Amino acid sequence: MQIINTNIAALRTQRHLNSVENEMSTVFRRLSSGLRINSAADDAAGLAISTRMESGIREATAAIRNANDGISLIQTADGGLESITENIQRIRELAVQAANGTNSDFEREALQIEVEYLLESINFTAKHTRFNGLNLLDDSAPPLQSHGIVSLQDDETKTAVMIGLTTGWLESSEQLIADFYGLTGDGQTLGIFLADTGDPESDGPGGTAAYVQSLVGSSGPAVSGSVELYIDMEDFRPANLPNGGTEPFYNDRIIAHEMTHAVMAVSTNWGELNTWFKEGAAEFIHGADERISIDLAAAGSSSALISQGFTTAPATWGGSSAEYSSATLAVRYLHDSIVAAGGEGIKDIMTVLSSDPNNITLDDAISQVSTDLGGLRGYVSGAGFTGAAFTDETTFLSDFDTNGADFLDEQIQLADPDTGSIQGSNVSPANPSIDQEDAVEDPIDYNSDPLEHWQEIWPTGFTVKASRNDNSFSGINIQLGATRSDRLEIRLYGANTTALGLDGLSVSKDPLDVILRADEALERVSFIRANFGATQNRLEARINYLLIEKENLTSARSRIMDTDYAAETARLSRLTVLQQAGFSVLAQANSRPQQVLQLLG
């Protein structure tokens, strides 16, 4: 019995020694690695927390490196600008010297030679100021970039069209429609597409230059998010900024026409409106006197042109130029009749249509406006608009069929420069004459979000950068964290002679002009350097923040992960004593059975 008890004690001691050895292995692992947590078994929650902290530490390390690269890039660009500044200063100095009356033409020509070398030096510096292959001061280098438009296609014409869209074509069109029709979009998306030759959306040169497409039922407005603007590049070549295209039809006017369709599609009962009213209103927003003049000459007489129109069968539309002209005249006729009755014209019709776009038809709108104004005015040859004439679309079209030719002959002035747009002097005598180039306001400052009441979806292959019209041609994103919001853009600016307005300087012909342009160029360079300096300061501040963040994360992770050497050493000492005691007990336990057997022997 004593032998059995001794064996049981030996087994218990052995298990205790195994436990001590396992614990000692853990201690040795921690002391040798310096880490308290070497596997998930040591502390699962602590390992998860420390892993996230390790990600933050590495993120901060990479971000600091990125920011330092950004500072190096800025310093490289600033070095180039310093050289350019010195060249401009020298050009200005030569211009002041050349302006002195004691100099002969020969001496001014000699000064001009140095000016030309200095201009070449400016272009050379701008072209060869690079960082890791990136052009920092040359806005002519690919990818093609201008006014915040970045083209991944290196297509100059498409880029020019995009510049037109973001510097006035869209914004001015939206403003025209809001001012004179009282209509705006409702915040929907507007997809914009540039169709190339061979694309199903392109019908080649001379066809449909642009069109708006949307999903719409038999009544009501277009389905939300379905409105798309297609531009046929075959008819937009060349872009010829600022107005676009060539006379008599300019690209900005085409965009105004199509934007009228887009806005009406989402704000009126688009499904029930007859095409004559849609197209006539779109032409009237910018004027169509040129088209009417051409179609009138082709028809031979006003009555022939009106008879070629749409009014006898308003539900059908063949798309001929004569139909567009007749539709424009009809809308103008309706507008003038409302004005004669004391209203605001087509704007009154549009206001009623947009008040309930799911239900109100053009019949309803004409009827309501007629009622509000005490009856609309029909046209009488030689007397203008007089007497109540129509109360719905059918009676209006009948009246226009009868009197439209006289209206065209007596009221429409086709020979003057005015386009006959709703804002022009022919329509509203208080307004100035609106010619072809002014039918849509000339481009304004670059706007990356030109439409206030739409969300633009830009064509594939283009990036529209948010920036002022400050001649920045690109932006380098410095990644300072793990998310899209953790970015800082370093704007790059053109500093060649074209970007600085120094092309064609001549101190031999006009030194005072050179002085003026040199001063403007110096202001421009100072602006660029100030932007670079401010961006560098922001990067340096971010580096300081990242260093503090990294230090704090490292310290916090250390408290979770690192071994407490004092505690582990004490623990090792305790385990060593326990191990030695266990070995001693186990030795004694193992020796007792041998002693008993010796006594029995």
Side-chain angles (χ1 to χ4, degrees):
M1 189 66 182
Q2 181 64 33
I3 293 175
I4 293 173
N5 289 336
T6 299
N7 288 337
I8 292 173
L11 289 173
R12 288 176 177 173
T13 301
Q14 185 64 54
R15 285 199 301 270
H16 176 69
L17 282 173
N18 290 339
S19 175
V20 169
E21 287 177 358
N22 290 334
E23 195 171 350
M24 288 184 72
S25 296
T26 300
V27 172
F28 281 129
R29 188 164 58 249
R30 289 176 176 176
L31 289 173
S32 61
S33 67
L35 299 175
R36 183 181 70 88
I37 303 174
N38 289 281
S39 68
D42 294 332
D43 184 349
L47 181 64
I49 295 170
S50 67
T51 299
R52 288 197 299 271
M53 289 182 174
E54 175 68 17
S55 297
I57 293 168
R58 293 193 175 193
E59 175 186 325
T61 301
I64 291 170
R65 186 164 51 247
N66 290 346
N68 281 318
D69 288 344
I71 290 174
S72 298
L73 182 148
I74 289 173
Q75 290 172 339
T76 302
D78 191 61
L81 290 171
E82 185 175 0
S83 174
I84 290 172
T85 300
E86 183 59 33
N87 287 328
I88 298 173
Q89 292 282 22
R90 178 56 181 164
I91 289 173
R92 189 180 189 281
E93 181 182 356
L94 292 171
V96 172
Q97 182 179 349
N100 193 20
T102 62
N103 290 309
S104 66
D105 290 343
F106 175 79
E107 290 164 335
R108 290 192 179 94
E109 287 294 339
L111 294 173
Q112 177 63 21
I113 292 173
E114 184 176 352
V115 169
E116 291 174 357
Y117 278 120
L118 290 167
L119 293 174
E120 289 180 9
S121 178
I122 290 172
N123 283 330
F124 180 87
T125 302
K127 185 175 182 179
H128 291 87
T129 301
R130 298 190 181 100
F131 184 86
N132 195 29
L134 296 171
N135 291 284
L136 304 183
L137 301 175
D138 185 14
D139 60 358
S140 65
L144 192 63
Q145 302 161 340
S146 184
H147 288 75
I149 303 297
V150 180
S151 170
L152 304 181
Q153 303 174 341
D154 288 347
D155 188 316
E156 293 185 8
T157 304
K158 283 187 175 181
T159 302
V161 169
M162 288 292 291
I163 292 172
L165 294 173
T166 53
T167 58
W169 296 357
L170 288 174
E171 189 169 354
S172 296
S173 298
E174 183 182 46
Q175 193 62 52
L176 268 178
I177 298 162
D179 289 345
F180 292 97
Y181 286 170
L183 302 178
T184 62
D186 58 358
Q188 294 188 29
T189 58
L190 176 66
I192 301 172
F193 301 87
L194 305 181
D196 286 313
T197 304
D199 289 345
E201 298 82 11
S202 171
D203 58 4
T208 301
Y211 63 91
V212 165
Q213 177 176 284
S214 62
L215 296 176
V216 62
S218 59
S219 65
V223 175
S224 179
S226 70
V227 183
E228 298 173 336
L229 169 62
Y230 289 87
I231 297 172
D232 191 341
M233 290 304 303
E234 285 297 328
D235 293 304
F236 274 64
R237 296 183 186 277
N240 287 350
L241 298 172
N243 298 299
T246 56
E247 61 177 329
F249 301 109
Y250 291 91
N251 295 340
D252 57 356
R253 296 173 66 183
I254 294 171
I255 296 301
H257 179 112
E258 298 307 326
M259 283 304 300
T260 304
H261 287 327
V263 174
M264 289 179 65
V266 300
S267 59
T268 68
N269 193 341
W270 190 244
E272 288 196 5
L273 289 179
N274 280 321
T275 307
W276 75 264
F277 184 73
K278 297 176 181 178
E279 297 297 347
E283 286 285 271
F284 190 33
I285 199 70
H286 64 86
D289 280 4
E290 306 98 324
R291 179 197 290 274
I292 295 172
S293 180
I294 294 170
D295 290 335
L296 178 60
S301 68
S302 298
S303 58
L305 176 60
I306 297 300
S307 67
Q308 290 177 14
F310 57 91
T311 55
T312 56
T316 62
W317 183 266
S320 68
S321 183
E323 286 176 302
Y324 278 92
S325 290
S326 187
T328 307
L329 288 167
V331 171
R332 171 83 178 270
Y333 186 94
L334 179 59
H335 173 84
D336 285 9
S337 71
I338 296 172
V339 171
E344 290 191 66
I346 289 298
K347 188 173 185 178
D348 291 342
I349 299 291
M350 296 297 189
T351 299
V352 177
L353 287 172
S354 63
S355 65
D356 186 1
N358 289 299
N359 297 298
I360 293 182
T361 65
L362 184 58
D363 264 344
D364 299 328
I366 292 176
S367 176
Q368 181 174 324
V369 171
S370 178
T371 300
D372 292 343
L373 297 176
L376 298 181
R377 304 296 178 182
Y379 191 80
V380 177
S381 180
F385 287 95
T386 179
F390 45 89
T391 56
D392 55 27
E393 183 179 2
T394 301
T395 57
F396 162 72
L397 291 175
S398 176
D399 188 273
F400 178 66
D401 271 337
T402 302
N403 301 306
D406 290 334
F407 173 71
L408 171 57
D409 289 336
E410 296 177 11
Q411 299 294 323
I412 306 299
Q413 303 174 32
L414 300 176
D416 64 9
D418 193 275
T419 65
S421 73
I422 191 172
Q423 59 177 326
S425 61
N426 290 173
V427 180
S428 303
N431 291 334
S433 178
I434 305 297
D435 62 17
Q436 298 162 350
E437 293 191 4
D438 295 332
V440 177
E441 184 180 353
D442 281 344
I444 51 183
D445 283 350
Y446 167 78
N447 189 343
S448 61
D449 184 20
L451 293 175
E452 181 180 356
H453 301 285
W454 296 86
Q455 299 177 45
E456 309 89 347
I457 300 177
W458 298 108
T460 302
F462 288 91
T463 299
V464 178
K465 291 185 171 293
S467 65
R468 304 186 310 278
N469 185 16
D470 55 9
N471 199 39
S472 60
F473 67 90
S474 180
I476 303 297
N477 286 319
I478 304 300
Q479 193 69 37
L480 301 174
T483 65
R484 291 184 181 274
S485 61
D486 292 326
R487 286 180 174 179
L488 189 149
E489 183 185 46
I490 301 176
R491 288 186 187 170
L492 302 182
Y493 301 83
N496 49 27
T497 55
T498 300
L500 297 177
L502 298 176
D503 284 340
L505 293 185
S506 177
V507 295
S508 61
K509 295 179 180 179
D510 193 349
L512 294 180
D513 176 66
V514 174
I515 295 172
L516 176 63
R517 290 165 65 183
D519 286 339
E520 292 174 349
L522 287 171
E523 290 180 4
R524 179 72 198 152
V525 173
S526 296
F527 166 81
I528 297 172
R529 297 185 74 178
N531 274 273
F532 279 148
T535 305
Q536 180 173 335
N537 289 336
R538 291 180 64 188
L539 286 172
E540 290 174 347
R542 190 58 180 265
I543 288 173
N544 291 334
Y545 164 78
L546 289 168
L547 287 171
I548 294 171
E549 180 184 35
K550 180 181 177 181
E551 180 181 352
N552 290 335
L553 284 173
T554 302
S555 178
R557 182 178 180 277
S558 176
R559 286 191 291 271
I560 295 172
M561 290 292 294
D562 291 353
T563 296
D564 183 340
Y565 275 87
E568 295 299 332
T569 302
R571 186 181 177 192
L572 178 62
S573 298
R574 178 178 63 83
L575 292 172
T576 301
V577 171
L578 290 174
Q579 185 185 49
Q580 291 175 352
F583 284 145
S584 176
V585 170
L586 184 60
Q588 293 180 20
N590 288 334
S591 66
R592 286 191 176 185
Q594 298 297 328
Q595 293 172 356
V596 171
L597 290 174
Q598 288 176 0
L599 290 173
L600 291 174

